[in-house]
Amino acid sequence: MPAKSIRNGIELVVARRSRKERRCETKTHVCVKTIYPGERYAYSSLPPWSEISNERWWHHTTCVACVNLYHPEIAKQLFGT
């Protein structure tokens, strides 16, 4: 089954299931959750020279709890919560 993805402006957000341990990279850096293998998470990416003035591709992983807290509309589309 392919990963579910949505476009949020120019940003691409994909729901994935982790194969290795990852760290939640919430913007506030309050979350210290580890995303364990088998858990779902949101993976975001922006192309070079987009709205954050990045020179290379920008990637960001976020745990389901933080997506639900900070972006409930995206969580509903990605995870159905």
Side-chain angles (χ1 to χ4, degrees):
M1 173 185 239
K4 188 167 187 176
S5 64
I6 61 169
R7 283 221 178 260
N8 183 21
I10 195 168
E11 180 181 22
L12 177 65
V13 184
V14 180
R16 291 186 171 178
R17 191 168 302 274
S18 186
R19 288 184 281 164
K20 64 178 187 175
E21 285 188 9
R22 302 173 186 278
R23 185 175 60 97
C24 177
E25 300 170 336
T26 304
K27 292 177 187 175
T28 60
H29 300 287
V30 173
C31 182
V32 293
K33 181 175 179 355
T34 300
I35 302 167
Y36 292 103
E39 291 184 337
R40 298 177 77 190
Y41 67 98
Y43 179 80
S44 306
S45 60
L46 283 169
W49 306 109
S50 60
E51 58 219 31
I52 60 170
S53 301
N54 48 324
E55 294 182 11
R56 298 178 185 187
W57 276 91
W58 174 86
H59 305 284
H60 187 80
T61 58
T62 310
C63 69
V64 174
C66 287
V67 176
N68 283 329
L69 182 63
Y70 297 110
H71 306 285
E73 67 288 341
I74 293 175
K76 188 172 186 176
Q77 292 177 31
L78 286 178
F79 306 116
T81 57

